[in-house]
Amino acid sequence: MNGRGTKTLEHLLRRFAEEIHFGAVMLEVLEKDGFELTHARPVAPRSWFLRAKPPQHIQEGFGLAPELLFIAVQGEVQSRDLQRAANEVVRSGLRLDGNLVIVTDDGHTRDGGWPLNDRLERMPGRDQRVAWVWGGDRIWRPLSEVLRQSLPTYDIFEERDPVRGHQLMGRDAEVMELRTRVLRGDAVGVFGLRKSGKTSLVRAVTDWLDPASGIKTPDEEKVASQACVLWVDAEGLDLATVEGVADDMLAALGRRMRAAGVSYEPLAGQGLAGLKTAAQAILDQGLRLCFAIDEYDFLFERAGNLGPVPGVSRLLGLVRALSQQQQGAVSLVLIGRDPEHLSVPQLDGVPNPLLAGLTPMWLGPLRAPHDTEMLRKLGRRVGLAVGHETAALARTWTGGHPLLHRQFGSALRDEVRLHAPGALQKEPTDPHCARAVERFLDRPAVLEVDREIIALLSKRYPAAYTLLLDLVESRDPQAAMKRSSGSLGPGARVLRNFGLLDEATLALPRHLSWYVETLLPTQTQVAV
């Protein structure tokens, strides 16, 4: 931090100590504990945000982000304070830990006041809120001590929603590739199995490009952005007509503008014509424009077997036309299972606007050593010392699938806590990892992933499905591959695209082989 920034921070910390009556003591305890304050700002009357770097041994010991976020409130912290904290994570350049916030207030000292922990548990949200308050003796415990006691109690592995910022691990190369393509104005499709991290990957790029697109509720602060990202989830759109889809996209654009503190409000209910007008207005301001459509498959697979949204080619054609008129300034990111819907020559009876114009990015499993790094880093957060045997076993059973790798870690945590309930940190996992496999296979999330893989392959990719069954049953994977047109055949290509086939050994992830051998015959008999 430069000299001017240092003076500004010192001034803000003095204000904090004056305005929050416990502020001076809090700062003193943090300094003695080795935390380095980096930012401070008031966010509401008697409510402040602080950011601090934890000591190196705490950061590395628990796999923390480079900085921690503090909410300090004189009075009682409210849900809106926690929502502001979620927004702050996005605005921070994602140096903050999106799963952790340190909360302190003095509501428990008032007549009838409830303990802070009890109040935090009643507030919505899946992140970990660590309550840091003084005791009845008015003495503050060192934050490092509080973290050592609190962090292992929260199962950070048990995360099924898209992760953000610090929690996205092992995808640096993919993030850089997608960022380059978006800045170049490409149309990109991010494809892969569900829960493989596609949305998290794209969010990492769009959060960096346009923080306002990632803030869920508006607040008073303007957010600097390099572009305008129009982000929608097709599963939640009005899919009756393409005009309805365009109206939903205009509404999403309006929310983004309000979050950024921009006065421009696109006209509602104007359909494709309104979307075109709004897009052109953004481009005329010299901003880049990025359309991001999550779960794009729903534009083509509506409920009730209704097929594609009538006129969907007009929407894609509009984006294509804008990108051609403003080369390099308009990009499109589609997120979904596969590119099959976009590979047909015609849509709605006209040439497919994206045929040969969409760059596919297949997002497979986490590769070594990134899968082990993730397991060990999250393990440190919950007090586990993940060993070599554990890491190898996790890789064998999950294949590196991000959600399943987390599920293995969560099963491992449960197993360790069962046999070592008093351990709060650095408990070796290798003595427990074999027993964790059974817990892992019992988890509904694992069964859901396997069921979806089998349903997808059997319905859409019969050659890949046949090869999958043959590989499970055969003792000679090379022979099975030859029976399926070889390693360049359609079946092998699909399995590779989805990250289900190890290139070197032709092995499948054990969770999938186990599912086929154990549960698929039963399901087939029931279906018959």
Side-chain angles (χ1 to χ4, degrees):
M1 184 177 293
N2 59 35
R4 182 178 179 181
T6 302
K7 291 181 180 178
T8 301
L9 177 60
E10 291 175 352
H11 170 72
L12 287 168
L13 292 177
R14 282 197 299 270
R15 274 190 56 193
F16 171 73
E18 294 169 357
E19 295 181 10
I20 305 296
H21 71 77
F22 54 80
V25 177
M26 177 180 168
L27 294 177
E28 181 182 354
V29 174
L30 279 174
E31 183 178 357
K32 287 182 179 179
D33 207 16
F35 287 80
E36 178 187 348
L37 273 296
T38 59
H39 296 78
R41 69 182 180 91
V43 292
R46 298 186 299 280
S47 179
W48 280 70
F49 281 163
L50 304 178
R51 287 164 55 180
K53 294 180 182 178
Q56 196 69 20
H57 67 282
I58 292 291
Q59 181 179 339
E60 294 180 356
F62 285 106
L64 299 176
E67 297 180 22
L68 299 182
L69 179 63
F70 297 73
I71 304 174
V73 176
Q74 188 166 310
E76 289 192 354
V77 68
Q78 304 293 325
S79 294
R80 61 177 176 269
D81 297 304
L82 300 177
Q83 181 59 61
R84 290 192 187 103
N87 296 347
E88 181 77 0
V89 171
V90 178
R91 280 196 293 265
S92 71
L94 303 174
R95 287 180 53 81
L96 293 167
D97 196 321
N99 289 97
L100 175 65
V101 62
I102 313 300
V103 185
T104 183
D105 68 12
D106 62 349
H108 62 293
T109 66
R110 306 185 178 195
D111 292 339
W114 285 65
L116 179 56
N117 265 326
D118 293 346
R119 287 183 278 120
L120 291 176
E121 288 177 1
R122 297 200 301 269
M123 296 182 188
R126 294 172 54 88
D127 53 336
Q128 184 177 20
R129 295 86 179 261
V130 172
W132 185 38
V133 295
W134 67 82
D137 53 6
R138 308 288 290 184
I139 294 177
W140 288 69
R141 294 166 58 203
L143 181 59
S144 57
E145 180 183 326
V146 173
L147 291 176
R148 287 191 183 95
Q149 295 293 322
S150 300
L151 291 180
T153 64
Y154 175 78
D155 188 357
I156 197 172
F157 288 111
E158 189 59 68
E159 177 59 72
R160 305 188 193 186
D161 295 328
V163 297
R164 309 290 281 274
H166 180 66
Q167 291 299 321
L168 180 63
M169 303 177 196
R171 298 296 197 189
D172 290 352
E174 293 91 338
V175 168
M176 291 306 299
E177 179 184 352
L178 182 58
R179 183 184 294 185
T180 298
R181 293 191 178 281
V182 168
L183 289 176
R184 201 163 60 192
D186 291 352
V188 184
V190 180
F191 304 120
L193 297 173
R194 296 193 189 278
K195 300 299 182 180
S196 60
K198 303 184 298 294
T199 301
S200 297
L201 171 68
V202 179
R203 278 293 193 192
V205 174
T206 58
D207 282 345
W208 166 80
L209 192 65
D210 180 18
S213 68
I215 294 177
K216 296 181 180 178
T217 58
D219 65 10
E220 311 80 21
E221 273 199 43
K222 293 185 178 181
V223 181
S225 296
Q226 302 178 54
C228 175
V229 174
L230 200 170
W231 181 290
V232 292
D233 186 333
E235 188 174 7
L237 299 179
D238 174 9
L239 300 175
T241 66
V242 72
E243 297 293 336
V245 171
D247 284 339
D248 282 352
M249 295 177 74
L250 280 170
L253 180 59
R255 290 191 294 272
R256 182 269 171 201
M257 291 300 187
R258 289 191 294 274
V262 177
S263 59
Y264 173 73
E265 180 74 23
L267 294 175
Q270 298 296 307
L272 283 174
L275 185 61
K276 179 180 180 181
T277 299
Q280 193 61 58
I282 291 168
L283 294 170
D284 288 345
Q285 296 175 21
L287 276 175
R288 294 177 179 274
L289 179 60
C290 175
F291 294 87
I293 304 179
D294 202 355
E295 302 286 3
Y296 97 93
D297 314 74
F298 283 92
L299 294 176
F300 296 86
E301 300 176 14
R302 293 181 296 160
N305 296 318
L306 292 179
V309 173
V312 69
S313 63
R314 295 169 57 205
L315 173 63
L316 300 178
L318 170 61
V319 178
R320 180 71 173 170
L322 288 169
S323 67
Q324 291 176 333
Q325 295 165 12
Q326 303 276 348
Q327 290 191 4
V330 179
S331 55
L332 170 67
V333 181
L334 299 177
I335 309 168
R337 184 180 53 208
D338 57 39
E340 293 300 304
H341 298 303
L342 305 169
S343 303
V344 296
Q346 290 192 324
L347 289 175
D348 301 319
V350 300
N352 182 348
L354 295 183
L355 189 64
L358 185 82
T359 301
M361 280 185 64
W362 287 95
L363 193 64
L366 293 170
R367 301 296 181 187
H370 301 303
D371 54 341
T372 297
E373 291 172 358
M374 183 184 81
L375 197 63
R376 286 178 172 162
K377 189 167 188 175
L378 296 181
R380 291 197 299 272
R381 183 73 166 266
V382 297
L384 302 180
V386 175
H388 294 289
E389 182 182 342
T390 301
L393 192 65
R395 176 75 197 184
T396 298
W397 279 97
T398 72
H401 186 291
L403 174 67
L404 299 188
H405 221 56
R406 283 176 170 265
Q407 287 292 301
F408 191 94
S410 182
L412 184 68
R413 172 184 177 271
D414 289 348
E415 183 66 31
V416 171
R417 288 173 68 85
L418 177 65
H419 292 88
L424 289 176
Q425 58 179 329
K426 306 301 183 185
E427 179 68 19
T429 61
D430 283 353
H432 308 281
C433 63
R435 292 192 301 271
V437 171
E438 185 175 353
R439 287 180 178 273
F440 167 74
L441 294 174
D442 280 342
R443 289 184 163 242
V446 178
L447 299 179
E448 289 167 9
V449 169
D450 286 333
R451 277 196 293 264
E452 190 153 6
I453 291 172
I454 294 301
L456 170 64
L457 297 182
S458 61
K459 178 180 178 181
R460 296 279 292 274
Y461 300 103
Y465 182 60
T466 300
L467 175 58
L468 171 74
L469 298 182
D470 202 1
L471 286 170
V472 171
E473 297 171 358
S474 175
R475 295 184 178 181
D476 186 352
Q478 292 287 355
M481 189 65 68
K482 288 181 181 179
R483 290 192 291 270
S484 182
S485 303
S487 60
L488 299 179
R493 185 183 67 251
V494 169
L495 294 183
R496 280 198 303 270
N497 283 342
F498 286 121
L500 297 174
L501 188 66
D502 186 284
E503 294 279 3
T505 65
L506 301 182
L508 299 167
R510 285 285 299 277
H511 72 86
L512 191 55
S513 298
W514 170 84
Y515 181 84
V516 171
E517 293 171 338
T518 307
L519 299 180
L520 190 58
T522 303
Q523 287 194 341
T524 303
Q525 293 170 8
V526 171
V528 172

